[in-house]
Amino acid sequence: MDRILLGHGSGGKLMHSLIREHFAPVFELGEMGDAALLRLDPGRIAFTTDSYVVSPLFFPGGDIGELAVYGTVNDLSVAGARPLYLTAGFIIEEGFLLSDFRKIVRSMSHAAERSGIKIVAGDTKVVNRGKGDGVFINTSGIGGIIEGADVSASRIRAGDCILVSGEVGNHGTAIIAERNGITFDPPVVSDTAPLNGIIKELLRSLGPDVHFMRDPTRGGLATTLKEAALECGLCMKIKEGAIPVAPQVTGASELLGLDPLYVANEGIFIAMVEGRRADEALSVMRSHPLGGNASILGRVEDKPEKLVLLETAFGGTRIMDMLEGEQLPRIC
Amino acid sequence: MDRILLGHGSGGKLMHSLIREHFAPVFELGEMGDAALLRLDPGRIAFTTDSYVVSPLFFPGGDIGELAVYGTVNDLSVAGARPLYLTAGFIIEEGFLLSDFRKIVRSMSHAAERSGIKIVAGDTKVVNRGKGDGVFINTSGIGGIIEGADVSASRIRAGDCILVSGEVGNHGTAIIAERNGITFDPPVVSDTAPLNGIIKELLRSLGPDVHFMRDPTRGGLATTLKEAALECGLCMKIKEGAIPVAPQVTGASELLGLDPLYVANEGIFIAMVEGRRADEALSVMRSHPLGGNASILGRVEDKPEKLVLLETAFGGTRIMDMLEGEQLPRIC
């Protein structure tokens, strides 16, 4: 038997063998009950969920399993939380190769270990051939808010500096290139990575002077800044020349008709910090292996309200809106 | 626009309008950030996840939205937890009717209200037409362990009594009948319901004398008892005559070639309680609107180890194993 059968999702013997052979060795599941029992330290927690439907499942720089773990780790991290516990829900298409499933589960296990998060509960459903697409994964996560962290759009102030921790556009470009069978030299690879380490350093140094963080996934940097502008009612003014974009991503974007500012990222975050501490924030980011290309993009201003303004390389100003319609479906 | 488009999952304007128009009015989402910030009382928590892929999406007695809320509420409840917070992750097929989506979201909202659980974070992905099947929903939940509750397979003892809170086989039979276009008179309807109320009453009366609880969903009563037997190493001895099965479910099962003991349930639970308190447990269950058909099924014995023995109506004994292969795919 080398493929997933409908019976693997039916709650009986096949499902138990799947759990025993694939999950039990690599996840930290408790007894076979459906809920994990956990003890949390007193304090506030963050709770988040994301489903992953990326196509293809394996892409340059990662796979859906890794993405599903890091994606939720990152959502917790940008909320100012230390990632603690994760659940994993699989929706598998009948006929999916067990060898690919094993690869994905191992990849999740490695990603969890690298992030220091524990996968404590799971669920497996199987849908008929042609009613799914390989595998979809939901991960939900709990994190404990880090002492001194207080990040939310309501804390953004005029005068804050806007930083990004790394290059923009790598994940989405890698996926779309892979989907179209295009390769670049040097290759474009996904930036998928756990942000809890670099964020912990930033919070340790700046504490509550970090006002806001978010990871620019679907919709890209531009959409995320626009969300922030709408939520806090202020203006985000950034310089095009300050946005780190890898040369091969610039090239690929021109070829594929993409705008890297609207392309999904999976291993960077934006931070808005107290203006006078921007250089310190930059230096903390740059000292971390994931922050070598960190950059100060610009500043928050009072007006014009709720806008993102991009000063172009030619000295003009462009108003950046949210992504309209779909640029790249199933990017994560 | 009356259908879901790929762009509804792309993180941009369409997705924000979906959140604003459909989720925001009925769910208790915080700011648009990806993680909910919560404060929990000190103590142990339960954390669980389940994805729902039931087909059809609407069935006699319920729909996928209600099922997705009650399913996770029940997983928390049988762990001895009070359901507190829920996340909802949607994977929607391009072209899905927005009117059906609205119905499902409203149904989730009502179910959450009835269970006293708050839906605090969500996620929406859209997959291309033919790569999904209408909508799949993941719910993940957090609950706080109830004072005095201590339920786990390791607490099951020889001499414990085995109870079930209601009729067996209704949910699975309703789904399969609907799928095959068969109707019964009186109709067979799903038992989908939140078990936190009845379980709270049971724990209030018996406290730690409730040793184990589980809801017999996929795989049915027989598979759940077999799991328990394997986990505690003891023998579950039950009487066929004591198992409550509605007459129309018995009839439908014969017609459809199903065994109601292996059919999924979504609104009952089994409990193993200290033997001398079985009558009290039964009376607590029967006083609750969801427990009118509660029954004492039998007893836990030392031997033969890890077996489920069914005393049939004819005085014989049948060994009940786990469900083999798949009896009913996509039942939940």
Side-chain angles (χ1 to χ4, degrees):
Chain A
M1 186 166 51
D2 62 347
R3 288 179 185 274
I4 292 282
L5 309 175
L6 277 173
H8 278 114
S10 290
K13 278 197 174 171
L14 276 172
M15 199 180 80
H16 281 82
S17 76
L18 195 74
I19 294 172
R20 207 169 44 238
E21 288 163 29
H22 293 263
F23 296 142
V26 293
F27 293 166
E28 314 211 10
L29 308 175
E31 60 176 62
M32 303 277 281
D34 290 314
L37 295 186
L38 309 167
R39 191 173 286 281
L40 293 182
D41 293 331
R44 281 189 313 156
I45 65 156
F47 186 24
T48 185
T49 193
D50 256 317
S51 296
Y52 296 83
V53 300
V54 66
S55 168
L57 298 173
F58 300 92
F59 48 81
D63 61 47
I64 189 173
E66 197 179 313
L67 199 66
V69 173
Y70 293 152
T72 293
V73 162
N74 293 349
D75 279 347
L76 294 172
S77 303
V78 296
R82 188 166 69 89
L84 297 170
Y85 300 110
L86 202 72
T87 59
F90 298 89
I91 298 175
I92 316 174
E93 187 186 7
E94 179 189 11
F96 190 62
L97 277 174
L98 270 169
S99 55
D100 280 348
F101 186 65
R102 190 174 303 118
K103 255 195 264 181
I104 289 167
V105 168
R106 289 217 176 120
S107 168
M108 292 182 78
S109 164
H110 290 145
E113 205 171 314
R114 183 173 167 202
S115 324
I117 199 167
K118 289 190 166 68
I119 301 175
V120 293
D123 175 57
T124 306
K125 294 293 190 306
V126 181
V127 296
N128 325 64
R129 206 182 283 263
K131 299 292 184 185
D133 193 15
V135 62
F136 303 142
I137 303 177
N138 176 283
T139 52
S140 300
I142 297 178
I145 298 295
I146 293 172
E147 184 73 31
D150 184 10
V151 291
S152 91
S154 63
R155 294 200 65 232
I156 302 173
R157 295 282 174 268
D160 281 0
C161 275
I162 307 167
L163 290 93
V164 69
S165 67
E167 287 172 349
V168 162
N170 290 330
H171 175 75
T173 309
I175 297 283
I176 198 78
E178 179 74 12
R179 220 183 270 170
N180 289 288
I182 304 166
T183 50
F184 298 95
D185 185 20
V188 179
V189 298
S190 168
D191 60 348
T192 178
L195 293 169
N196 53 325
I198 184 170
I199 285 176
K200 188 174 141 197
E201 294 303 323
L202 186 64
L203 288 171
R204 173 144 59 192
S205 297
L206 273 77
D209 282 342
V210 181
H211 295 163
F212 177 83
M213 295 187 285
R214 195 163 291 170
D215 52 336
T217 55
R218 286 182 287 175
L221 181 72
T223 301
T224 302
L225 287 174
K226 179 67 180 181
E227 284 174 7
L230 289 173
E231 289 169 36
C232 70
L234 302 172
C235 169
M236 309 284 145
K237 208 168 197 172
I238 62 170
K239 283 189 206 311
E240 189 172 30
I243 304 173
V245 186
Q248 64 271 35
V249 169
T250 307
S253 299
E254 280 168 14
L255 188 71
L256 298 163
L258 300 173
D259 182 341
L261 302 191
Y262 286 95
V263 167
N265 309 283
E266 292 290 343
I268 61 168
F269 69 105
I270 58 161
M272 312 216 184
V273 307
E274 187 68 43
R276 62 183 163 76
R277 303 199 69 183
D279 288 337
E280 199 182 338
L282 184 67
S283 119
V284 172
M285 285 184 177
R286 287 206 174 149
S287 324
H288 191 278
L290 291 177
N293 296 303
S295 171
I296 300 178
L297 298 180
R299 285 179 95 83
V300 180
E301 301 193 354
D302 273 322
K303 295 200 172 161
E305 288 170 12
K306 302 188 182 180
L307 286 191
V308 179
L309 297 182
L310 180 77
E311 287 180 30
T312 67
F314 311 105
T317 297
R318 188 177 143 203
I319 297 178
M320 306 290 289
D321 205 346
M322 276 191 195
L323 178 63
E324 299 257 11
E326 110 273 354
Q327 187 178 24
L328 294 171
R330 301 186 58 191
I331 206 72
C332 62
Chain B
M1 185 166 50
D2 61 348
R3 289 179 184 273
I4 292 282
L5 309 175
L6 277 174
H8 278 113
S10 290
K13 280 196 172 170
L14 275 171
M15 199 180 81
H16 281 82
S17 77
L18 195 73
I19 295 172
R20 206 169 45 238
E21 288 163 28
H22 293 261
F23 296 141
V26 292
F27 294 166
E28 313 212 9
L29 309 175
E31 61 175 60
M32 303 277 281
D34 290 316
L37 295 186
L38 310 167
R39 191 173 286 282
L40 293 182
D41 293 332
R44 282 189 313 157
I45 65 156
F47 186 24
T48 186
T49 193
D50 256 317
S51 295
Y52 296 83
V53 299
V54 66
S55 169
L57 298 173
F58 300 92
F59 48 81
D63 61 49
I64 188 172
E66 198 179 312
L67 199 66
V69 173
Y70 292 152
T72 293
V73 161
N74 292 349
D75 279 347
L76 294 172
S77 303
V78 295
R82 188 166 70 88
L84 296 170
Y85 300 109
L86 201 72
T87 60
F90 298 89
I91 298 174
I92 316 173
E93 188 187 5
E94 180 189 10
F96 190 62
L97 277 174
L98 270 169
S99 55
D100 281 347
F101 187 65
R102 190 175 302 118
K103 258 195 262 180
I104 290 167
V105 168
R106 289 219 175 117
S107 169
M108 292 182 77
S109 165
H110 289 143
E113 205 171 316
R114 184 173 167 201
S115 324
I117 200 168
K118 288 190 167 67
I119 300 176
V120 293
D123 175 57
T124 307
K125 295 294 190 306
V126 180
V127 296
N128 324 64
R129 205 182 282 263
K131 299 292 184 184
D133 194 15
V135 63
F136 303 142
I137 303 177
N138 175 284
T139 53
S140 299
I142 297 179
I145 299 296
I146 293 171
E147 184 73 31
D150 184 9
V151 292
S152 91
S154 62
R155 294 200 64 232
I156 302 172
R157 296 282 174 267
D160 281 0
C161 275
I162 307 166
L163 290 94
V164 68
S165 67
E167 286 172 348
V168 162
N170 290 332
H171 175 74
T173 309
I175 297 283
I176 198 79
E178 178 74 11
R179 221 183 270 170
N180 290 290
I182 305 166
T183 51
F184 298 96
D185 185 19
V188 180
V189 298
S190 168
D191 59 349
T192 178
L195 293 169
N196 53 325
I198 184 170
I199 285 177
K200 188 174 139 194
E201 294 304 321
L202 186 65
L203 288 172
R204 173 145 59 192
S205 296
L206 272 77
D209 282 343
V210 180
H211 295 163
F212 177 83
M213 293 187 286
R214 195 163 291 170
D215 52 336
T217 55
R218 285 183 286 174
L221 180 72
T223 301
T224 301
L225 287 174
K226 177 68 179 181
E227 284 174 6
L230 288 173
E231 289 169 37
C232 70
L234 302 171
C235 170
M236 309 284 144
K237 210 168 196 172
I238 61 170
K239 285 189 206 310
E240 189 172 29
I243 305 173
V245 186
Q248 63 271 36
V249 169
T250 308
S253 298
E254 281 167 13
L255 187 72
L256 296 163
L258 299 174
D259 182 341
L261 302 191
Y262 286 95
V263 167
N265 309 282
E266 292 290 342
I268 61 168
F269 68 106
I270 57 161
M272 313 219 182
V273 308
E274 187 67 42
R276 62 182 164 78
R277 304 200 68 184
D279 288 338
E280 199 181 339
L282 184 67
S283 119
V284 172
M285 285 183 178
R286 287 204 174 152
S287 324
H288 191 278
L290 291 177
N293 296 303
S295 170
I296 299 178
L297 299 179
R299 284 180 95 83
V300 180
E301 300 193 354
D302 273 324
K303 295 201 172 158
E305 289 170 10
K306 303 187 181 179
L307 286 190
V308 179
L309 297 181
L310 180 78
E311 287 179 31
T312 67
F314 311 105
T317 297
R318 188 176 144 203
I319 296 178
M320 307 290 288
D321 205 347
M322 275 191 198
L323 177 64
E324 299 255 12
E326 111 271 356
Q327 187 179 23
L328 294 173
R330 303 187 56 191
I331 207 72
C332 62

